[in-house]
Amino acid sequence: MHKQSELFFLWFASNLTIGDFAVGFIPVILGLNLYLSLLAFLIGNLLGSAMVGIVSLSGPKTGLPQMVLGFRAFGLKFGKAMSVLQYINTLGWLTVNIVLASFAFSLAFHLGNYIVSIIILAIIIFVISFSGRKTISYFERSMSAVLGLIFIFIIVSGIYHSSSILNYASVSYPSGIAFGITLATSFSYIMSWAPYASDYSRFNEDGHGIFYYTFLGGFIASIWSEIAGMIVAIISLNPSGNPATDLSSVLHPYGIIGLFAIFLGGIAADAINLYSNSISLLTAGIKITRKQASVLGIIIAGILSLITYARFYSFYEDFLFILDYWITPWIGIMISDFFIVNKLTKFRTDIIPGFNYAGIISYLTGLLLSIPFMDPGVVYEGIISKLYLGGVDVSYYVSFTVALLMYPVITKIINKRYISNNAK
């Protein structure tokens, strides 16, 4: 068993990354003022980190990977379908971080051919993840120290531009809309780690420290990275859309330090992404080993990175929205099953062979009722979001709440009918 404090370093390093850093550019691009940007980051990260922390409590109680625990709440067959979604989710984030890290790696080592950067980073990520959970733990602890020092340097460097930061003001978007978008993207980034949670906490000692270390590691690193990104975006005056280029420019002549932060952070996040990617493929029922799944995952992610590299940042915000729609109602079901239906102190790991209709109905209802509140901005605009919310996407909160509340109610109804029919 590992110490609970290990989880702090794991989630700290994996969130002190270019992905979070890039989220910090969003309010500046939208024209949101400094104080509302900070408030949006605070609320988004508090909510998202709390969800990851709560879900992680199931790990040491069961010793099982996160998606396996869904075999009770959704049933084995539907649970495998959810594992496929998680496989796509981890593959997406694996690609995102490779691309973002490649921006920095190419600049740091003066590589004109981005293909070389992608291949080198993919190999490094593969070696770390392929080596297993213990190697990942050691690497994340080391990166916590290295990345922590580098991001301190980035923040301190921003202090020298305090006048331009304090004088920053822009109104490209109505502030309410920009605030809602910033809040949603900040929240969606951190909460998307929830389907990974017990993949790592299952190796740790049981106790309430599981929540606190997971929560604090993710929250501190994520909000820290986003503030650093916002500062760099403001100082650059006209963000290019490539955070690596802007960071290098702002830190000149120390730009190389910022570039190292970006690609090392990408590696830290993707070591976890690839590990959970391989586990989710096994959970989906594919008969291969975890190491074979790791090989497959890094090959697919590498190919996707090569395809999306040239036009990446233009769809980053929409990627955050669309990819994560499935996760919040899933979190609602998992929390409800763990804390309400199944009780924390009496948790069982039994698997329902076919379908658990209470979980499925609650999940799909939450997802369907949230559709009018969706607004990914690419292929669809929800009617409520468009007419009443100015395009702000609040579907995450709707689907989570509906699924969380419906699941215990439907479970109780189904159990009563089962008991009644047996009595007859």
Side-chain angles (χ1 to χ4, degrees):
M1 297 295 287
H2 300 276
K3 293 182 179 180
Q4 296 175 3
S5 58
E6 175 197 59
L7 292 172
F8 174 85
F9 298 105
L10 186 142
W11 294 114
F12 183 80
S14 60
N15 281 285
L16 208 58
T17 64
I18 180 59
D20 277 303
F21 183 79
V23 170
F25 276 57
I26 290 174
V28 179
I29 292 172
L30 295 178
L32 187 64
N33 71 51
L34 181 65
Y35 305 105
L36 288 178
S37 298
L38 292 173
L39 181 61
F41 291 154
L42 177 63
I43 297 173
N45 283 295
L46 278 173
L47 294 175
S49 300
M51 285 188 176
V52 179
I54 292 171
V55 174
S56 70
L57 288 169
S58 60
K61 285 286 184 183
T62 64
L64 295 174
Q66 195 66 66
M67 299 312 295
V68 173
L69 294 174
F71 291 171
R72 169 187 162 82
F74 296 100
L76 180 61
K77 292 182 178 179
F78 198 83
K80 287 184 176 182
M82 302 303 289
S83 295
V84 172
L85 288 177
Q86 170 63 349
Y87 182 75
I88 296 171
N89 179 52
T90 52
L91 201 59
W93 282 115
L94 194 59
T95 302
V96 164
N97 284 292
I98 289 176
V99 171
L100 288 171
S102 295
F103 287 152
F105 194 84
S106 296
L107 287 172
F109 294 98
H110 306 289
L111 296 175
N113 190 334
Y114 65 83
I115 295 176
V116 175
S117 298
I118 290 174
I119 292 174
I120 292 174
L121 289 171
I123 291 173
I124 295 172
I125 291 163
F126 170 74
V127 170
I128 296 169
S129 183
F130 186 85
S131 299
R133 172 69 173 80
K134 186 175 291 187
T135 300
I136 292 174
S137 177
Y138 290 142
F139 177 74
E140 300 297 345
R141 183 179 287 270
S142 300
M143 284 300 99
S144 292
V146 173
L147 292 170
L149 289 173
I150 293 177
F151 270 85
I152 287 175
F153 177 79
I154 294 172
I155 296 291
V156 171
S157 297
I159 295 175
Y160 289 100
H161 299 83
S162 57
S163 59
S164 60
I165 295 171
L166 294 175
N167 292 328
Y168 160 75
S170 181
V171 289
S172 299
Y173 273 55
S175 60
I177 297 174
F179 178 84
I181 292 174
T182 302
L183 172 61
T185 50
S186 177
F187 168 75
S188 67
Y189 187 93
I190 186 67
M191 72 85 181
S192 66
W193 288 112
Y196 302 61
S198 78
D199 291 355
Y200 305 97
S201 64
R202 65 192 171 115
F203 297 102
N204 298 95
E205 301 167 352
D206 194 11
H208 295 298
I210 294 293
F211 170 82
Y212 295 115
Y213 286 120
T214 300
F215 170 82
L216 289 174
F219 174 77
I220 294 172
S222 188
I223 197 168
W224 189 356
S225 302
E226 289 166 8
I227 290 173
M230 181 182 65
I231 289 173
V232 169
I234 291 172
I235 296 173
S236 67
L237 299 179
N238 184 25
S240 67
N242 184 330
T245 301
D246 291 328
L247 178 58
S248 180
S249 175
V250 167
L251 292 181
H252 183 77
Y254 306 107
I256 188 69
I257 296 176
L259 295 177
F260 268 78
I262 290 175
F263 76 75
L264 288 176
I267 294 172
D270 269 354
I272 292 178
N273 280 320
L274 183 57
Y275 183 81
S276 285
N277 175 265
S278 62
I279 291 178
S280 63
L281 188 61
L282 301 183
T283 305
I286 305 300
K287 303 298 183 182
I288 58 176
T289 66
R290 188 195 67 79
K291 292 187 175 181
Q292 290 171 337
S294 295
V295 174
L296 179 63
I298 200 65
I299 290 174
I300 295 174
I303 293 172
L304 290 174
S305 298
L306 292 172
I307 294 171
T308 61
Y309 185 95
R311 56 184 185 277
F312 173 76
Y313 200 80
S314 63
F315 71 83
Y316 179 60
E317 176 188 324
D318 297 312
F319 166 84
L320 282 174
F321 279 125
I322 295 172
L323 190 65
D324 290 349
Y325 279 133
W326 75 274
I327 297 179
T328 44
W330 175 90
I331 295 175
I333 298 295
M334 297 302 292
I335 291 176
S336 185
D337 184 62
F338 189 82
F339 288 99
I340 302 173
V341 172
N342 212 15
K343 304 297 183 185
L344 178 61
T345 56
K346 299 179 181 178
F347 194 81
R348 298 180 300 164
T349 58
D350 53 310
I351 294 174
I352 296 177
F355 300 98
N356 182 349
Y357 293 103
I360 297 170
I361 292 171
S362 301
Y363 178 83
L364 295 178
T365 301
L367 201 58
L368 288 172
L369 290 179
S370 71
I371 289 176
F373 299 88
M374 293 179 180
D375 197 336
V378 179
V379 295
Y380 174 75
E381 284 185 292
I383 187 68
I384 294 178
S385 175
K386 181 179 180 180
L387 295 180
Y388 302 105
L389 301 175
V392 175
D393 192 320
V394 297
S395 61
Y396 297 131
Y397 320 113
V398 174
S399 61
F400 170 79
T401 304
V402 171
L404 177 75
L405 297 178
M406 279 190 65
Y407 179 65
V409 174
I410 296 179
T411 298
K412 190 172 183 179
I413 292 172
I414 290 176
N415 287 344
K416 280 186 176 180
R417 289 183 177 178
Y418 178 79
I419 294 172
S420 177
N421 289 337
N422 283 346
K424 293 178 181 180

